[in-house]
Amino acid sequence: MACAASLFAAVPLAAPVVIFKLTSDFKEDPSPHKVNLGVGAYRTDEGKPWVLPVVRKVEKCLANNESLNHEYVPILGIPEFTQSACEIILGADSPAISGHRKGGVQCLGGTGALRLGAEFLRAWYNGTNNSATPVYVSAPTWGNHNGVFGTAGFTDIRSYRYWDPAKRGLHLQGLLDDMENAPEYSIMILHACAHNPTGTDPTPEEWKKIAEVMKKKSLFPFFDSAYQGFASGDLDKDAWAVRYFVSQGFELFCAQSFSKNFGLYNERVGNLCIVAKDTDNVNRIRSQMEKIARTVWSNPPAQGARIVAATLNDSALFAEWASNVKTMADRVLLMRALLREKLEKLGTPGTWDHITQQIGMFSFTGLNPSQVEYMVKKKHIYLLGNGRINMCGLTTSNLDYVAESIKEAATGSQCQ
């Protein structure tokens, strides 16, 4: 009897996720000179992952706490976590907190927070045919934004201008024009700080202009905050945009990730902070999100959220965490300064001041695809095809090699 064909024979092989494929290629590369500037994770100057000292301390306390167990936590998450997470992004003196019009939902990392928010908006935002509501992402944006909102059911995902390759900075006028021309009630995905992949953020004055247009057009702000504290070393500075929008009376969502600023990458610690008109609106929104979460992950993991909650709710631990975060931010800022200095001393073609003008984990170098290919294939330096590099992958021991390789790539393109 002949074997029947598999029921899944027509399933195509999906392309690998680019960033993880890049890491896999790096690991398989035998070159002693190889450098990984791809995946977005902090590394020490020795190129090693870093567990924050405050996280080590809290983990030991939790392990010795006999009152803790592995029972289910509430579907909406550990209240001490969601409350403190919202407070850290909104600020303790936020009108959304004093007005009792904020709420949080614990999610599976920042991606889970985006997905939960997207699922809710597709089902409940401003009418019934929400799948056709335009969702705008920056050009370029984090590679997962389009997929998250598309998979949630939105069928009209557009982009607004953001990066100006000529000046290697923010295309403010293009951004404002695209928002001005967007249909009313469109959803705008905004990077709260340390824009991924460009590392280019609006100034406070530019954020004010953005908010003015968005208010005039009744556009909905959905912030993605993955780098609070990690970007500048200042928790309040990195939350400025979100807090300003709240002060201007916006209803908004903010997806928070604690992967970077706590180093809890594999614990999947995220929060969706909701700011609405009043307490009743917040309660109704969270009730529907509870139903969505029940069918997606049913119950959030406890360990990472307990670490964050314990840290944020203890003044001594909080101060130690802020110091740990500043350590990471300062190393990134140092690598930016050293890379720019080296590139300029080498006489690398082009201008490189954008390296220090950008902020956060990533830098949009301006390298074109052929230059990137040269870096990967010839120099064993792994970075994304759009020229984005993880500044944490730079160390004092590989900086010269990377800078010299960038010069070679840039000089070669000049001669073609």
Side-chain angles (χ1 to χ4, degrees):
M1 181 177 178
C3 293
S6 170
L7 295 172
F8 308 105
V11 176
L13 183 67
V17 177
V18 173
I19 192 65
F20 290 98
K21 176 64 164 59
L22 196 70
T23 299
S24 176
D25 291 344
F26 168 80
K27 290 179 178 179
E28 294 175 4
D29 189 339
S31 172
H33 304 296
K34 65 181 181 179
V35 180
N36 187 359
L37 302 181
V39 69
Y42 180 79
R43 294 292 183 262
T44 66
D45 195 48
E46 294 72 41
K48 303 295 184 183
W50 190 47
V51 178
L52 275 62
V54 71
V55 169
R56 289 279 195 209
K57 182 182 293 186
V58 174
E59 284 177 326
K60 290 177 182 177
C61 291
L62 293 177
N64 292 323
N65 187 341
E66 296 289 341
S67 70
L68 295 179
N69 55 53
H70 296 290
E71 292 291 302
Y72 291 119
V73 300
I75 294 175
L76 291 175
I78 299 171
E80 294 82 5
F81 165 71
T82 57
Q83 291 168 13
S84 57
C86 287
E87 186 170 310
I88 198 72
I89 190 67
L90 297 177
D93 59 350
S94 172
I97 294 177
S98 60
H100 305 288
R101 53 189 185 88
K102 63 82 183 167
V105 178
Q106 185 181 335
C107 301
L108 302 187
T111 301
L114 287 165
R115 180 61 184 270
L116 182 69
E119 293 279 356
F120 172 84
L121 292 173
R122 198 262 308 149
W124 295 104
Y125 176 66
N126 193 40
T128 54
N129 187 27
N130 301 321
S131 62
T133 299
V135 176
Y136 282 78
V137 299
S138 63
T141 194
W142 178 49
N144 220 12
H145 280 151
N146 286 277
V148 166
F149 284 84
T151 305
F154 285 97
T155 58
D156 188 3
I157 300 176
R158 310 180 186 184
S159 62
Y160 57 85
R161 281 170 284 179
Y162 193 89
W163 173 254
D164 184 342
K167 70 176 186 178
R168 296 185 178 182
L170 181 68
H171 197 325
L172 178 64
Q173 193 55 54
L175 183 158
L176 295 175
D177 289 345
D178 289 343
M179 289 187 173
E180 186 77 50
N181 293 324
E184 286 190 337
Y185 302 107
S186 294
I187 298 166
M188 294 287 166
I189 311 306
L190 306 170
H191 300 233
C193 67
H195 182 273
N196 181 2
T198 70
T200 298
D201 289 347
T203 65
E205 288 306 311
E206 289 169 339
W207 273 121
K208 290 178 181 179
K209 293 178 181 179
I210 293 168
E212 182 180 358
V213 173
M214 289 186 63
K215 180 178 286 189
K216 181 173 69 172
K217 294 300 301 264
S218 300
L219 306 178
F220 182 77
F222 195 148
F223 282 96
D224 186 352
S225 177
Y227 304 97
Q228 188 182 358
F230 192 103
S232 69
D234 185 326
L235 292 161
D236 296 323
K237 181 178 181 180
D238 293 346
W240 191 92
V242 177
R243 295 176 185 181
Y244 179 75
F245 272 67
V246 172
S247 75
Q248 296 304 296
F250 282 90
E251 293 184 289
L252 59 81
F253 289 171
C254 181
Q256 296 172 265
S257 169
F258 294 90
S259 293
K260 271 68 174 184
N261 56 16
F262 267 84
L264 295 170
Y265 302 97
N266 62 14
E267 293 286 356
R268 311 314 299 136
V269 189
N271 181 64
L272 181 59
C273 182
I274 304 151
V275 175
K277 289 294 185 185
D278 51 41
T279 305
D280 180 58
N281 273 288
V282 171
N283 290 339
R284 287 187 285 106
I285 291 169
R286 291 178 83 236
S287 74
Q288 292 298 332
M289 288 185 175
E290 183 176 42
K291 293 181 67 176
I292 296 169
R294 172 62 175 161
T295 65
V296 180
W297 54 72
S298 184
N299 201 258
Q303 179 69 1
R306 282 173 174 163
I307 292 171
V308 174
T311 303
L312 297 184
N313 286 290
D314 180 283
S315 59
L317 292 173
F318 183 93
E320 184 176 352
W321 170 64
S323 176
N324 291 170
V325 173
K326 191 172 188 306
T327 295
M328 293 190 287
D330 285 350
R331 194 182 99 70
V332 173
L333 292 170
L334 176 62
M335 288 299 105
R336 287 186 178 278
L338 292 176
L339 178 60
R340 176 184 172 182
E341 179 184 15
K342 185 66 177 179
L343 289 170
E344 291 176 344
K345 281 186 177 180
L346 288 170
T348 310
T351 58
W352 298 97
D353 53 336
H354 61 284
I355 297 292
T356 52
Q357 291 171 353
Q358 295 167 1
I359 194 170
M361 178 175 283
F362 302 113
S363 176
F364 222 43
T365 60
L367 294 175
N368 62 42
S370 64
Q371 293 166 340
V372 170
E373 183 178 12
Y374 175 84
M375 296 279 285
V376 175
K377 301 296 184 183
K378 299 296 185 182
K379 307 304 292 185
H380 306 276
I381 298 173
Y382 290 81
L383 64 157
L384 291 182
N386 59 13
R388 189 200 81 173
I389 63 173
N390 174 13
M391 298 302 300
C392 306
L394 288 175
T395 67
T396 51
S397 61
N398 68 28
L399 180 70
D400 287 351
Y401 178 68
V402 171
E404 290 161 3
S405 298
I406 291 175
K407 181 192 177 182
E408 288 180 25
T411 303
S413 70
Q414 297 285 316
C415 301
Q416 290 175 357

